[in-house]
Amino acid sequence: MRKNLRPEELGDFLEQPKLAILATTFKDGRVLLSPIWHEWREGGFTVLIFEGDVKARHIEREARVSIVVAEDLPASRGIEVRGVAQRVTGDFHAVLDRVALRYFGPQHGPAYAEAVSKAAVAYLRIEPGELRVWDFKHEQDVSGYPHPKEL
């Protein structure tokens, strides 16, 4: 396993439309794990969540969060960021347009972005306080093993 990598060493991994898992906490310390869409840009994650959502309420109370994006098939690349979620002001429409295009494609992305742009959305930035980046690509030769989809 290759560890202590930089995000750039994952190739196009962070540009793929993979779900991220955002960890926030309830008042009593329990953890909520939420699948979210994301954008990695300029050394951190940008996420859009609806105002009033439980994640938004958690972050208002406790801004320390973790976010993980990982492949579930070999080469099993991934990144974990632990940091502070900060509200960002500015043109969230540009982020929304890019994220909608990425996850819905050119046929449905613009319509999704238009619909969501009318909702109350929190635009959050999560930059690494702690960063883990890994890649199992060079772990071992698995060429003789069946692909997990074949099992």
Side-chain angles (χ1 to χ4, degrees), residues 2-146:
R2 296 186 317 150
K3 298 190 270 185
N4 303 318
L5 303 175
R6 295 183 322 275
E8 310 80 65
E9 293 178 88
L10 296 178
D12 69 345
F13 173 68
L14 290 170
E15 297 167 21
Q16 296 175 15
K18 298 195 175 294
L19 285 177
I21 303 299
L22 177 68
T24 60
T25 55
F26 290 95
K27 285 181 186 176
D28 64 6
R30 290 176 298 138
V31 175
L32 174 68
L33 298 175
S34 303
I36 59 168
W37 294 343
H38 65 88
E39 177 182 55
W40 177 265
R41 197 174 183 102
E42 299 173 4
F45 284 105
T46 302
V47 299
L48 302 170
I49 58 175
F50 293 103
E51 293 284 358
D53 182 275
V54 66
K55 296 179 291 296
R57 293 193 308 269
H58 287 181
I59 290 167
E60 285 175 19
R61 184 184 36 74
E62 173 56 72
R64 290 178 298 174
V65 300
S66 292
I67 186 169
V68 173
V69 182
E71 289 180 315
D72 56 349
L73 297 173
S76 301
R77 298 173 289 182
I79 182 171
E80 176 189 9
V81 169
R82 293 182 213 147
V84 176
Q86 298 178 350
R87 282 186 180 261
V88 178
T89 57
D91 185 14
F92 92 94
H93 293 284
V95 175
L96 175 59
D97 289 345
R98 288 191 302 267
V99 169
L101 185 63
R102 179 172 157 191
Y103 286 93
F104 279 107
Q107 185 175 4
H108 301 290
Y112 177 81
E114 176 66 25
V116 171
S117 70
K118 298 171 185 161
V121 176
Y123 174 16
L124 302 173
R125 182 80 178 153
I126 305 164
E127 294 184 357
E130 295 177 57
L131 176 67
R132 283 189 326 131
V133 181
W134 64 90
D135 182 349
F136 284 94
K137 180 170 57 174
H138 300 291
E139 183 68 14
Q140 61 186 14
D141 177 15
V142 295
S143 59
Y145 295 98

